[in-house]
Amino acid sequence: MGEKMPDASRGGAVSATDERFMRAALHAARQAQARGEVPIGAVVVMDGAIAGAGCNQPIGTNDPTAHAEVVAIRDAAQRTGNYRLTGATLYVTIEPCQMCVGAMVHARIARLVFGAPEPKAGAVESTQRAHEHPTLNHRIEVAGHVLEAECRSVLQAFFRERRE
């Protein structure tokens, strides 16, 4: 998967590939921030290339489902001409909510890589493990805490600025 690099936030290792695509998700998060949206970004990677990208945009679109993950999945599905994204990896800066986990299952995302945990609504490790529900007909491999400090910092800076 690429050269292993230390992930200082967890003491583990992160591949150079995961770090590269998480940086692309961070770029998308900054695009959301520039629009006044909560800075969360996501990219869908297939065959080593970005097949779709998205950032949070529920405010600007008046669409409560326009989370970064859903926007990126929709973009990838449109670009590939297939609603099934079999073999794809979704990179997202923050742990996905239950709605986004459901979208990943329906799209048949193979792997999820997330940055920072979301203690209030994260549905992968923080509040539940929605992707592991026994009735689901699809399983998602998960790698978390990739560039965690940087992902968390972007979000914290956004809310700090909003409070000031």
Side-chain angles (χ1 to χ4, degrees):
M1 192 74 154
E3 173 187 339
K4 295 289 184 182
M5 302 175 79
D7 177 1
S9 65
R10 295 307 254 191
V14 59
S15 76
T17 300
D18 285 346
E19 184 174 295
R20 177 168 49 105
F21 289 121
M22 185 59 75
R23 290 202 184 286
L26 279 160
H27 176 74
R30 290 181 180 101
Q31 290 175 327
Q33 183 173 11
R35 298 177 184 167
E37 302 273 1
V38 175
I40 299 171
V43 296
V44 174
V45 174
M46 298 180 78
D47 300 320
I50 295 175
C55 63
N56 245 23
Q57 45 189 295
I59 298 167
T61 61
N62 295 311
D63 179 357
T65 69
H67 289 195
E69 301 93 323
V70 172
V71 173
I73 288 169
R74 287 176 181 159
D75 187 39
Q78 288 297 309
R79 288 183 189 206
T80 62
N82 194 340
Y83 74 106
R84 296 283 197 223
L85 302 173
T86 307
T89 298
L90 175 69
Y91 292 84
V92 62
T93 56
I94 302 297
E95 177 186 1
C97 71
Q98 189 169 2
M99 175 187 72
C100 293
V101 170
M104 286 182 267
V105 169
H106 287 289
R108 301 300 191 264
I109 298 291
R111 184 170 179 252
L112 164 68
V113 179
F114 72 89
E118 210 301 15
K120 292 182 181 177
V124 175
E125 70 174 29
S126 294
T127 67
Q128 59 189 299
R129 299 183 69 82
H131 64 294
E132 293 179 351
H133 194 279
T135 63
L136 293 177
N137 62 348
H138 177 71
R139 297 288 175 243
I140 300 169
E141 177 188 333
V142 176
H145 308 275
V146 174
L147 298 181
E148 178 179 353
E150 191 171 345
C151 292
R152 181 184 302 110
S153 175
V154 169
L155 203 57
Q156 288 175 336
F158 173 79
F159 285 114
R160 187 171 36 253
E161 288 174 19
R162 299 261 321 235
R163 286 190 299 269
E164 292 173 358

